[in-house]
Amino acid sequence: MKILTFPGGIHPPYNKDISIGEALRTAPPPETAIVPLSQHIGAPCRPAVTKGDEVSEGQVIGESPSFVSSLVHSPVSGKVQDIKKAFHPALGYTEAVFIERDPGKEPLKYTSCDSEDLTQKELIEKVKKAGIVGMGGAAFPTHVKLSVPEGKNIENLIINGAECEPYLTCDHILMTRKSAEIIKGIEILIRVLEPKNTYIAIEDNKKAAIFAFEKLIRESTRKEISAARVVPLETKYPQGGEKQLIKAISGKEVPPGGLPLDIGFLVQNVGTALAIHEAVEYDKPLIERVVTLSGDCLERPGNYHMRIGTTVKEIVEKLGIEFRQDPKKIIFGGPMMGIAQPGTEVPVLKNTSGILFLSESTAKDLEEKPCIRCAKCVDVCPVNLMPTEIMRNVKARRWEEAEALNVQDCMECGCCTYTCPARIPLVQYIKEGKTALLKKRK
Amino acid sequence: MNKFTISASPHIHSPVDTTFMMRGVIKALLPAVIAGVYFFRMYAVGVLAASIAGCVITEWLLRKTRRQEASLKDSSALLTGMLLALVLPPALPLWMAFLGGVVSIALGKEVFGGLGKNVFNPALLGRAFLMAAFPVALTTWTRPVSLDAVTTATPLGLAKFEHAVTPYAQLFLGNVGGCIGETSALALILGILYLLYHKIIDWRVPAAYIGTVALFSGVAWAAAPQLYAPPLFHILAGGLLIGAGFMATDPVTTPVTAKGRWVFGAGCGLITMTIRLWGGLPEGVMYSILCMNAVTPLINRYTRPRRYGGSNGG
């Protein structure tokens, strides 16, 4: 078994075993769901309901005329309590629909429908109707990604099961418990994109997932699937970054400012593949997902099916989460690129892969010391940047120099900050440089 | 809402910090310190103490008087003091060793703004100062394992001026005349392996430096074996190992790019061998590293990594 990888990157402690052993459970639906109208890259939705409306599970509550946008559905049946600004885990206060769940209503049952004869356009339309976005983190509308522009060709489809962020195991658990359904989602992707090659990319710390997919491919009678390949990758952060996956699998590099599409690649997360299967096969909109609850503060970390719009507060109360120690930080996503939250009244979104409760000792505040030019940041940068040099120029407000150092190529993976022995928040300085350059250009 | 700490990602950090790295180098120097004390007894202890005192006191005083944040905790002044002592002759008057420490920190580091901002390796700058100020004291060597101050010559001096070759076993163990920490190749190699194992130094620098010295001296030796010593001699003798493993790998004063570190190491090797073979001095490690320190910013500029996805990409 050849293990593929990319140059650079880091090996942080993974802490995945604490949440993977447990079963995949279902969190109770929220009493009050807070559903932000912007859960994707692109135009925010406008509310499609008004205060006081009765809504049913799966009903569209937010839509936008823009192409680059994604529908928002009601995660529960109930009544629209209010439409107002609420705290969004990534964007601060944005407009959200508050839905009070009606406990009298039975949860919806989704029935299978025949999708064998659907055309590519019809399949994409189903994905669009279900409001599917990239669930690995970026939340880019999936129907937009699948609508490959004229003249561009997808030769290689990569299914991203790398899951390189520490603590997170939501993709891992899906790959072992729902591998057959994911394969069906992959088949739909193959039908839409007609790639020459399909790769299922998984880090080699998830042997069970690698084994499960290899078995399914071997035993598959579908020609699309039996041509797919499982590619084991080195366990290294950020192996699951699009550019790193493509580099590891093909040796090719996405050009600066370009998209994987430009070199014939398309990357889809395994969770998204599952959502696509459910959308096409059952007309099920994206109103729930698997979220990893983990961190050193939790007595029992694990993975849960959760409705979109469930707040951390309700999760903690309803699931009876027990704490070993008081959390100092609550993080949406992984510890490398996740976002620290000010409180618990924050809802789960379509791209919330994990909620971490980290203690004082794990998420220390570190004092910035002088740079000793050790160049560890240069060595680990997966996109060939010199973070220390960029930092010096940003501090001195020399934006042209920062631009000459390709500051805009940074994908903010945070390897430089992680590895810096002087505890300099390098990626922060780089973001500052990127923002300043963007402003200047306008 | 409850109050939780908000800060930017990443939320976890490598356990390796500046202090860990400095202390790692100090640990890696311990075999050389032990060998030095074994071979040169109280002389070595005295010079080590004086040099470290000079460095630590100067840093503390300069920071204090200029109302800057105290910085002794990072252990870098202690490290500079150790490195300086290890490249000084054992019988050096203690006040000179102390003065060397003062110059290392004051002119080698603090005048530039402290840790991370200096251009030259502080320990080597201190040594260069002593070499210019007290050339005789800096080239007076004591015989190892003898408590009386019998002067001797270094293997490099013997090779250069008398064409006498010191046996390899002696060079390897360190039972020869020379600087306190330079004589035992074995002790230095142990330290370098420790640094490489913990990834505190980049293997490229010692590889390029020692490789260039081997190649250069190999060619000279092949051309005129009666005139020049063989490559292994040049690797084991003098300050090459401590220079290649501990000085040319100083993060602050050496290039930040991988390519740059090859250039740096090769440059050090060329200058060292030029001085050793054709210069007036028997040894050239110190000047080679100081010269390459000076061109480090230039090396950084011309060895920037290729842009990801750029023209040569993929």
Side-chain angles (χ1 to χ4, degrees):
Chain A
M1 197 161 73
K2 210 177 130 209
I3 311 273
L4 302 174
T5 197
F6 65 96
I10 54 166
H11 295 281
Y14 288 98
N15 290 313
K16 286 179 185 274
D17 45 336
I18 55 174
S19 58
I20 192 61
E22 298 290 329
L24 176 53
R25 286 166 291 190
T26 302
E31 274 167 33
T32 306
I34 302 176
V35 190
L37 288 166
S38 184
Q39 296 195 42
H40 47 265
I41 289 177
C45 288
R46 295 183 200 140
V49 287
T50 49
K51 193 172 163 176
D53 282 2
E54 292 281 337
V55 290
S56 54
E57 184 181 319
Q59 182 183 330
V60 173
I61 55 171
E63 57 195 355
S64 163
S66 300
F67 179 60
V68 184
S69 186
S70 186
L71 294 176
V72 175
H73 304 79
S74 177
V76 291
S77 297
K79 197 172 156 191
V80 177
Q81 210 179 48
D82 209 346
I83 298 170
K84 62 179 182 191
K85 299 257 170 176
F87 198 81
H88 181 292
L91 306 174
Y93 284 88
T94 62
E95 195 165 47
V97 181
F98 288 63
I99 299 163
E100 195 180 1
R101 184 169 66 91
D102 179 352
K105 292 244 170 89
E106 286 284 305
L108 226 59
K109 293 232 165 31
Y110 297 96
T111 47
S112 159
C113 50
D114 189 22
S115 63
E116 274 300 302
D117 303 322
L118 294 181
T119 63
Q120 293 176 337
K121 268 218 174 83
E122 286 165 334
L123 289 170
I124 294 175
E125 190 56 33
K126 279 207 169 198
V127 168
K128 184 180 176 184
K129 266 193 177 158
I132 295 174
V133 301
M135 291 165 76
F140 189 78
T142 303
H143 67 275
V144 181
K145 205 169 180 178
L146 295 181
S147 308
V148 178
E150 278 304 321
K152 299 269 184 186
N153 223 344
I154 301 299
E155 296 212 346
N156 302 286
L157 168 65
I158 300 176
I159 303 302
N160 186 357
E163 198 168 56
C164 58
E165 272 270 10
Y167 290 99
L168 303 185
T169 53
C170 57
D171 285 350
H172 186 180
I173 206 154
L174 282 180
M175 286 191 285
T176 50
R177 311 291 154 96
K178 302 256 177 187
S179 42
E181 290 86 345
I182 292 171
I183 282 282
K184 285 183 183 165
I186 295 170
E187 197 184 321
I188 296 163
L189 285 166
I190 295 172
R191 277 166 64 193
V192 172
L193 298 164
E194 297 177 329
K196 273 196 198 136
N197 308 298
T198 301
Y199 305 96
I200 303 173
I202 305 170
E203 278 189 350
D204 65 346
N205 60 354
K206 294 177 263 292
K207 293 272 193 301
I210 293 174
F211 181 77
F213 281 114
E214 277 178 341
K215 186 164 182 284
L216 282 167
I217 290 172
R218 211 168 40 237
E219 291 168 359
S220 176
T221 53
R222 317 284 289 193
K223 66 174 193 310
E224 288 94 344
I225 291 304
S226 42
R229 266 180 56 204
V230 177
V231 274
L233 304 170
E234 188 197 348
T235 302
K236 179 164 81 168
Y237 178 86
Q239 189 70 263
E242 283 194 337
K243 288 180 176 176
Q244 284 60 52
L245 279 175
I246 294 168
K247 176 88 179 173
I249 291 171
S250 70
K252 292 202 175 105
E253 293 181 358
V254 178
L259 292 170
L261 184 68
D262 300 331
I263 53 168
F265 280 84
L266 195 137
V267 182
Q268 285 289 354
N269 165 266
V270 286
T272 316
L274 177 63
I276 290 171
H277 158 70
E278 291 179 344
V280 169
E281 198 78 17
Y282 299 98
D283 282 319
K284 185 180 168 186
L286 183 49
I287 55 166
E288 66 173 354
R289 65 158 297 144
V290 174
V291 179
T292 304
L293 293 187
S294 193
D296 58 345
C297 294
L298 295 190
E299 204 63 66
R300 276 185 304 278
N303 285 286
Y304 293 86
H305 276 291
M306 283 180 196
R307 298 288 168 99
I308 307 300
T310 316
T311 59
V312 178
K313 198 174 165 202
E314 276 208 31
I315 293 163
V316 170
E317 283 167 9
K318 294 284 182 49
L319 289 174
I321 300 286
E322 287 169 53
F323 291 96
R324 269 177 208 197
Q325 47 188 326
D326 286 335
K328 178 169 188 255
K329 270 190 191 177
I330 295 182
I331 293 159
F332 267 48
M336 289 302 299
M337 287 185 82
I339 303 169
Q341 303 299 328
T344 56
E345 271 166 47
V346 189
V348 166
L349 303 187
K350 293 174 183 177
N351 66 339
T352 306
S353 43
I355 303 171
L356 306 182
F357 300 83
L358 299 183
S359 73
E360 176 93 50
S361 60
T362 304
K364 282 192 253 330
D365 291 325
L366 298 165
E367 193 193 340
E368 181 175 338
K369 298 278 183 189
C371 172
I372 54 165
R373 319 272 298 148
C374 66
K376 281 181 189 285
C377 56
V378 182
D379 295 340
V380 299
C381 180
V383 288
N384 300 358
L385 298 180
M386 301 169 76
T388 170
E389 298 280 307
I390 296 175
M391 176 267 295
R392 291 211 300 186
N393 285 297
V394 167
K395 278 187 172 176
R397 301 261 170 279
R398 288 191 294 258
W399 309 120
E400 292 78 16
E401 263 298 300
E403 191 169 19
L405 289 160
N406 305 322
V407 63
Q408 61 279 19
D409 290 356
C410 174
M411 47 176 209
E412 300 172 14
C413 66
C415 286
C416 50
T417 306
Y418 174 86
T419 200
C420 179
R423 310 311 194 189
I424 301 168
L426 290 158
V427 72
Q428 279 298 99
Y429 287 110
I430 292 173
K431 281 184 201 169
E432 197 185 332
K434 281 166 84 173
T435 317
L437 278 172
L438 273 180
K439 265 193 201 146
K440 254 185 58 186
R441 229 168 272 163
K442 270 180 193 163
Chain B
M1 282 200 199
N2 300 324
K3 277 288 162 225
F4 296 98
T5 303
I6 311 261
S7 62
S9 61
H11 305 283
I12 51 174
H13 296 85
S14 158
V16 175
D17 63 4
T18 305
T19 310
F20 179 94
M21 288 177 70
M22 295 294 169
R23 294 196 180 148
V25 183
I26 290 171
K27 278 184 209 158
L29 280 173
L30 287 180
V33 169
I34 292 166
V37 171
Y38 173 76
F39 289 123
F40 303 109
R41 308 293 151 104
M42 286 318 285
Y43 292 120
V45 175
V47 172
L48 270 160
S51 161
I52 290 171
C55 286
V56 170
I57 292 171
T58 307
E59 179 156 314
W60 178 80
L61 209 67
L62 283 176
R63 292 255 146 192
K64 188 92 181 163
T65 50
R66 290 155 72 219
R67 295 209 180 85
Q68 286 166 321
E69 200 189 341
S71 56
L72 288 179
K73 247 180 30 198
D74 65 30
S75 305
S76 65
L78 172 63
L79 176 58
T80 301
M82 273 175 82
L83 277 172
L84 173 63
L86 293 178
V87 294
L88 293 176
L92 192 75
L94 296 188
W95 67 269
M96 286 187 194
F98 184 87
L99 184 63
V102 174
V103 171
S104 286
I105 294 296
L107 296 183
K109 188 165 124 184
E110 289 301 316
V111 81
F112 292 98
L115 181 65
K117 303 203 175 63
N118 47 304
V119 177
F120 298 102
N121 184 307
L124 288 181
L125 195 99
R127 186 183 195 271
F129 163 80
L130 292 176
M131 188 76 179
F134 317 107
V136 176
L138 260 280
T139 48
T140 300
W141 312 101
T142 336
R143 231 174 30 203
V145 217
S146 68
L147 292 173
D148 48 348
V150 182
T151 56
T152 182
T154 64
L156 279 173
L158 289 169
K160 182 157 196 140
F161 304 118
E162 293 164 38
H163 300 297
V165 174
T166 313
Y168 286 134
Q170 236 171 302
L171 281 176
F172 188 68
L173 293 174
N175 189 18
V176 293
C179 295
I180 293 169
E182 285 181 359
T183 63
S184 172
L186 171 67
L188 290 167
I189 290 169
L190 284 177
I192 292 170
L193 290 178
Y194 177 86
L195 291 178
L196 289 172
Y197 177 77
H198 286 283
K199 296 203 170 115
I200 294 172
I201 62 168
D202 186 349
W203 60 276
R204 291 178 183 89
V205 180
Y209 196 164
I210 296 169
T212 307
V213 165
L215 196 73
F216 199 128
S217 57
V219 170
W221 178 59
Q226 72 288 358
L227 215 58
Y228 301 120
L232 188 59
F233 172 82
H234 277 287
I235 291 169
L236 297 177
L240 183 70
L241 287 175
I242 198 169
F246 294 89
M247 308 277 199
T249 52
D250 166 32
V252 177
T253 56
T254 58
V256 296
T257 62
K259 242 187 284 170
R261 290 180 214 135
W262 284 113
V263 175
F264 187 92
C268 286
L270 285 176
I271 298 171
T272 300
M273 287 318 295
T274 307
I275 296 175
R276 279 188 181 182
L277 297 188
W278 303 311
L281 296 167
E283 176 59 304
V285 168
M286 171 178 77
Y287 291 117
S288 79
I289 296 173
L290 288 172
C291 287
M292 293 309 289
N293 286 162
V295 293
T296 289
L298 211 62
I299 297 175
N300 278 337
R301 177 151 284 270
Y302 288 104
T303 56
R304 283 186 182 172
R306 171 186 63 77
R307 186 175 195 183
Y308 191 90
S311 48
N312 312 322

